[in-house]
Amino acid sequence: MNMRFASITLTAGLLCACSQVPVYERPQAPIGAEFESAAGLPDAVAPQWWRSFGSPQLDALIEQATASNFDLRAAVARIDQARASLRIGSADLLPNASASGSISSNRQEQNGRWDSGESDQASLSVGYELDLWGGNRAAREAALARLDASRWNRAAVVLVLQSDVATSYFQILALSEQLDIARQNLEAAQELLDLVQVRYDAGAATALELAQQKTTLLSIAATIPSLQQSLASARNAMKVLLGGEPGSELAAAPIAALTVPDPSPGVPSALLEQRPEIRIAEASLIAANADIGAARAALLPRVELSLSAGVSGALTGGSSQFVSLAGSLAQTLFNGGALRAQVQLSEAAQQELTASYLQTVLESVKEVEDSLVAQRTASDRAVILEQAAEQAREVYRLALIRFEAGSEDLLTLLDAQRTRLSAEDSLVQARYNRLLAAAQLFKAVGGGWAEAALDET
């Protein structure tokens, strides 16, 4: 019997090499060797990319969000689910064992006499399914790939969270500065209205000029509630990102005080390794590839071995022992084509995920290209608007001097005032867009992610 068992085990071991999983090859995406808009950029993106903006307050906010955000907690829970699924999928590769015991007592009447008897039995059973066609190993491979997908999903959530915190922070600074500019211009408009009122009382200004300045004052005042509402909404959005925590009080730092980094996208092929969305798509594709092997293996015969050993009568006297070794072979002959349909379903799912993977790669490359263009455009526009704002302030200063001297009419001064207000507001918006474009580019290239970034999960 020992020789037969050894022969069966050896034969099964040889057959276990017959995996039904197709050989996986990464699909070749139609991408170029480099980005079209990336000439002259530096080479590296640091994992803690947000530090390149030079804001300790932003650093603290991202650290707080990483510790408290609920979307991130949900992503970590999905990793735990995937790990549990992997353990479930791996269980079929190991033997299963069970133990049982029983004891009974009975009495029966025969010819007016009562006879009694007792019996007991204890047994241990071990069963093992020979993975002849690699179906169980394929299921484990699929579960392992889905675990990788869940880990990269966490990386994607972290990257989006970091980008959203940075964007909200920039928006809060920009709105705060726009609100300050509006208040300063309101104060200047009030001073000018007082001046016009004095001139009107002295007969040196007309009622029309007085009404025009009052209209300008009210127009500036009307922008303040809208800015206050937008600022409150931005602060509320930041609170959600921080997991409901208020976070540290945001200092009213000028947005121009932040450093504007110049991140590099690297090369398109690097996105395949560091962009979380692409890694998620590929992990899902690998899992689907393994699912094909599991579906194909289900079409083939199943062999199970079982070993049982036990003892009976140990407690009631007259004990005896027993041992049995059995093997079983099972093959589905007809089930309406369900198993073959499962193979077709798995193959179609793999084809779908292949197309999704290639689409994800192309969309990622496009996002990087768009971010590069947005970064350069925002940078050029900010430089021009800085000059325009400086000129607008000088025009207003000169117009005010000439108006006070009586050599310029109020209409010219009002026009200079509106131009200055618009130029200063546009400059703040341009600086915000420049920071936003840099943050979006960091996000588009994957934020400097690498395999080591996933070790903590």
Side-chain angles (χ1 to χ4, degrees):
M1 184 180 66
N2 290 337
M3 290 298 294
R4 290 178 181 175
F5 180 74
S7 177
I8 294 174
T9 303
L10 178 60
T11 302
L14 293 175
L15 289 174
C16 282
C18 301
S19 174
Q20 301 299 306
V21 179
V23 176
Y24 174 75
E25 294 183 2
R26 174 183 285 176
Q28 295 299 312
I31 56 177
E34 59 184 22
F35 294 104
E36 295 180 1
S37 306
L41 292 179
D43 295 329
V45 174
Q48 294 185 328
W49 53 268
W50 59 90
R51 296 187 181 276
S52 59
F53 290 97
S55 172
Q57 191 169 49
L58 175 59
D59 300 343
L61 288 171
I62 288 183
E63 181 179 354
Q64 183 176 349
T66 304
S68 305
N69 183 264
F70 289 108
D71 283 338
L72 185 53
R73 294 184 186 181
V76 173
R78 286 192 290 271
I79 293 177
D80 293 337
Q81 294 175 44
R83 283 179 175 150
S85 296
L86 176 60
R87 288 193 292 271
I88 294 172
S90 302
D92 290 336
L93 293 172
L94 301 174
N96 61 79
S98 61
S100 64
S102 65
I103 184 170
S104 63
S105 176
N106 60 78
R107 298 183 64 192
Q108 66 179 28
E109 182 183 4
Q110 186 176 1
N111 298 326
R113 299 179 55 187
W114 289 91
D115 295 328
S116 62
E118 294 182 345
S119 63
D120 63 87
Q121 180 175 305
S123 64
L124 174 66
S125 299
V126 178
Y128 180 62
E129 179 185 349
L130 301 180
D131 194 19
L132 298 180
W133 318 113
N136 294 337
R137 295 196 310 278
R140 183 183 185 279
E141 183 180 338
L144 185 60
R146 291 188 172 97
L147 173 59
D148 286 340
S150 68
R151 294 168 69 232
W152 280 106
N153 177 72
R154 178 192 179 276
V157 171
V158 170
L159 182 56
V160 170
L161 176 62
Q162 293 167 347
S163 177
D164 287 349
V165 170
T167 298
S168 294
Y169 177 67
F170 300 151
Q171 185 180 27
I172 289 171
L173 294 187
L175 288 170
S176 297
E177 190 163 342
Q178 287 177 300
L179 185 58
D180 289 342
I181 291 173
R183 286 169 174 166
Q184 292 170 10
N185 279 280
L186 181 63
E187 183 178 349
Q190 181 63 55
E191 293 175 355
L192 183 55
L193 177 60
D194 295 341
L195 176 60
V196 175
Q197 183 69 52
V198 171
R199 290 171 62 88
Y200 174 76
D201 293 340
T206 66
L208 176 60
E209 290 175 330
L210 183 62
Q212 287 175 327
Q213 182 57 25
K214 287 181 178 179
T215 300
T216 300
L217 178 69
L218 293 173
S219 297
I220 296 174
T223 64
I224 292 179
S226 178
L227 289 171
Q228 289 174 330
Q229 179 183 354
S230 297
L231 181 58
S233 296
R235 291 183 180 277
N236 290 336
M238 178 67 80
K239 185 176 180 181
V240 171
L241 293 172
L242 298 179
E245 299 295 332
S248 57
E249 184 64 26
L250 295 178
I255 198 169
L258 272 63
T259 302
V260 181
D262 193 15
S264 168
V267 295
S269 59
L271 294 179
L272 305 182
E273 304 298 334
Q274 68 187 28
R275 173 121 174 175
E277 291 89 342
I278 296 178
R279 296 303 296 268
I280 293 171
E282 184 174 21
S284 299
L285 179 57
I286 293 173
N289 194 67
D291 286 339
I292 294 176
R296 289 176 177 175
L299 293 171
L300 302 173
R302 297 176 57 187
V303 177
E304 294 185 4
L305 299 178
S306 61
L307 174 65
S308 299
V311 59
S312 60
L315 301 178
T316 57
S319 63
S320 63
Q321 300 176 355
F322 62 89
V323 177
S324 67
L325 174 64
S328 64
L329 176 67
Q331 170 67 61
T332 300
L333 298 179
F334 179 76
N335 65 350
L339 294 179
R340 293 192 179 277
Q342 183 61 50
V343 174
Q344 295 171 354
L345 177 62
S346 300
E347 291 173 344
Q350 188 223 34
Q351 293 171 6
E352 176 192 0
L353 290 172
T354 298
S356 297
Y357 170 81
L358 294 173
Q359 183 69 17
T360 301
V361 172
L362 293 180
E363 289 178 351
S364 299
V365 173
K366 174 187 177 297
E367 187 174 338
V368 174
E369 292 282 10
D370 290 346
S371 298
L372 284 169
V373 173
Q375 182 194 31
R376 293 188 182 279
T377 301
S379 179
D380 294 343
R381 189 168 185 271
V383 172
I384 295 172
L385 287 176
E386 284 177 2
Q387 300 172 356
E390 183 179 352
Q391 291 299 315
R393 285 189 289 266
E394 179 65 13
V395 169
Y396 175 76
R397 186 185 70 82
L398 294 175
L400 180 60
I401 293 174
R402 290 175 62 83
F403 176 76
E404 291 174 341
S407 58
E408 193 69 78
D409 60 14
L410 182 61
L411 186 60
T412 300
L413 180 60
L414 292 178
D415 184 63
Q417 186 182 48
R418 285 190 296 268
T419 301
R420 187 192 71 169
L421 176 61
S422 176
E424 290 176 342
D425 190 78
S426 296
L427 177 58
V428 173
Q429 188 66 33
R431 287 171 173 167
Y432 164 70
N433 288 336
R434 191 178 181 186
L435 292 168
L436 179 62
Q440 291 299 319
L441 182 53
F442 277 124
K443 177 185 174 183
V445 300
W449 280 96
E451 292 286 354
L454 302 180
D455 287 345
E456 61 187 272
T457 62

